[in-house]
Amino acid sequence: MRHFKRSPIRRGLTLIELLVVIAIIGLLVGLILPAVQGAREAARRVQCVNNLKQIALATHNYHDTWGRLPMAEMPGAFSAHTAILPFLGESVAFNSINFVQLIGPGRGPTGQVPTWMDPICLTIGRTRINAFLCPSEVMTSTAVVNGPISDGGTEYYPSSYAWCSGGWWPRSRRWDGLFGRSAWAGKARTSVEPPDPPLGSISWSSCVDGMSTTLLVAEVVVGRGDRSAARGANTECFRIASLGDRPSFEATAAACRAIDPSSGPIALGGSWRFKGYPWLEGTLWRTWFNTAMPPNQNCCVDDGLGQIAIVPDQTWWWMLKPPSSYHPGGVNVALGDGGVRMIRNGIDPRVWTSLGTRDGRETISDDSF
């Protein structure tokens, strides 16, 4: 008699087993995802550091060629970014810029607006310079509109990096960093009005504090752009009470720190949501920063917006504008010697202010920042 083996009965997973499998998969994803995100952020940070290295090297090459640092406020109110373009391999972009020497504060030869805003500069303004954009930056395309100084909604590319203009002009009554104003605020160069005198272009010999302890350039978040977007300390610049001609640094800094970044009043009635846009413009509120406040703290501007009777509009230069970034823990900076470091958010404010000045003659140790 022939016997046949009965095939084993195949059954699927029970509901409990299926739930256990799903839970295990979810746990694995939860463990892996932060590692993947961390690896991506590490890669973005490496690229950001590389960008700063390129900018610092280009600045040194510029100095080697011309014997001076680039002006932070080039003729036509262009930024120092434009000056170093040839040393970043961007000669074609540089040659498309129309530099015009201004004959008065904020005006060109025909009495027009600064030439970076002229239609002839639209091509360069809409040119993406990769070395000027941190991979972690949110606003990296021309999908941002120049709100506070809109000239019909013209769009430009921004920059994630800004030049150090020193501690804070009202505190020292001068531009004490490696960069500052080039144009006179006073109508005649014989009259000194805030924020005169301009710094113009200087050489490395002016950096008496040492190039390894003087800030050159740092990250500054471009801004949110969208007026309906959530606010944050690293993305906005807030309004504080009118400061007057000789504001107290301690009182001003305290007022700035007291602002709630999630709901604080934004400059120009809430319309100004940018800090590094466009990269063409050489001004404190666009492509410079100062060390009045530590990294990623509130940025603040005088609510008077030029209500000082002495010189209209000059209180824009009173800004407290710290570097900021989307990297956790701090910001990347390039020092005068070309070295790039991460500066932690909790740095001693006194050390931070000292790093911003070129000739304060402070003694700063490497382990203090």
Side-chain angles (χ1 to χ4, degrees):
M1 187 175 181
R2 197 168 179 182
H3 297 279
F4 297 92
K5 287 187 176 181
R6 181 176 295 178
S7 300
I9 300 175
R10 298 194 177 191
R11 63 187 181 85
L13 295 174
T14 65
L15 179 59
I16 294 178
E17 291 171 332
L18 183 61
L19 291 175
V20 170
V21 171
I22 293 174
I24 292 174
I25 294 174
L27 180 61
L28 292 174
V29 171
L31 293 173
I32 294 173
L33 190 58
V36 172
Q37 291 174 336
R40 288 177 176 174
E41 169 55 26
R44 289 193 292 264
R45 182 172 293 184
V46 168
Q47 181 59 52
C48 182
V49 167
N50 183 58
N51 288 346
L52 284 165
K53 280 280 190 183
Q54 288 188 61
I55 292 172
L57 180 60
T59 304
H60 274 268
N61 288 338
Y62 181 98
H63 187 280
D64 290 344
T65 301
W66 300 106
R68 315 285 289 180
L69 290 169
M71 290 189 293
E73 187 182 28
M74 299 284 287
F78 285 97
S79 68
H81 291 63
T82 61
I84 63 171
L85 284 174
F87 304 96
L88 290 171
E90 299 287 352
S91 295
V92 174
F94 178 81
N95 291 334
S96 70
I97 300 175
N98 179 36
F99 290 105
V100 176
Q101 178 65 49
L102 302 184
I103 60 172
R107 298 290 170 180
T110 59
Q112 300 300 311
V113 295
T115 57
W116 74 265
M117 294 176 63
D118 194 275
I120 198 172
C121 294
L122 288 181
T123 299
I124 181 62
R126 291 172 176 171
T127 300
R128 177 190 175 104
I129 308 297
N130 289 327
F132 295 161
L133 291 168
C134 173
S136 296
E137 178 56 61
V138 174
M139 303 297 289
T140 57
S141 73
T142 54
V144 287
V145 178
N146 196 338
I149 50 173
S150 175
D151 57 345
T154 305
E155 298 175 347
Y156 301 93
Y157 265 101
S159 173
S160 305
Y161 307 105
W163 308 91
C164 182
S165 64
W168 192 49
W169 189 90
R171 193 178 193 180
S172 61
R173 308 301 290 185
R174 67 190 184 100
W175 299 101
D176 56 4
L178 293 175
F179 301 92
R181 290 217 66 190
S182 301
W184 286 78
K187 294 180 179 179
R189 295 192 177 188
T190 56
S191 63
V192 177
E193 299 176 348
D196 291 334
L199 177 65
S201 177
I202 62 175
S203 67
W204 285 123
S205 62
S206 298
C207 186
V208 299
D209 288 348
M211 295 164 63
S212 63
T213 54
T214 303
L215 292 168
L216 178 71
V217 64
E219 292 182 271
V220 173
V221 165
V222 170
R224 300 298 297 181
D226 183 0
R227 297 186 185 183
S228 63
R231 305 176 186 188
N234 67 334
T235 61
E236 312 298 339
C237 202
F238 301 102
R239 303 196 313 269
I240 53 177
S242 185
L243 305 177
D245 181 32
R246 292 184 176 272
S248 160
F249 172 75
E250 290 73 16
T252 303
C256 189
R257 286 192 297 268
I259 292 176
D260 180 354
S262 65
S263 59
I266 296 173
L268 287 177
S271 65
W272 183 33
R273 305 297 300 272
F274 306 105
K275 292 197 297 181
Y277 170 78
W279 67 262
L280 278 178
E281 185 182 353
T283 54
L284 177 55
W285 49 91
R286 302 297 189 182
T287 51
W288 311 354
F289 73 93
N290 55 38
T291 54
M293 304 286 284
N296 285 312
Q297 289 196 13
N298 287 339
C299 170
C300 295
V301 67
D302 190 329
D303 193 29
L305 299 184
Q307 297 307 308
I308 293 179
I310 303 173
V311 184
D313 299 324
Q314 296 308 312
T315 51
W316 274 108
W317 303 102
W318 281 211
M319 284 180 64
L320 297 89
K321 184 183 175 184
S324 55
S325 81
Y326 291 109
H327 303 303
V331 297
N332 292 313
V333 305
L335 297 162
D337 63 353
V340 178
R341 300 184 59 166
M342 166 67 78
I343 301 293
R344 65 187 186 281
N345 293 334
I347 186 173
D348 185 322
R350 293 169 298 182
V351 173
W352 175 242
T353 299
S354 298
L355 287 172
T357 61
R358 68 181 184 273
D359 56 2
R361 292 177 171 77
E362 306 92 346
T363 301
I364 305 174
S365 60
D366 287 341
D367 59 358
S368 64
F369 67 99

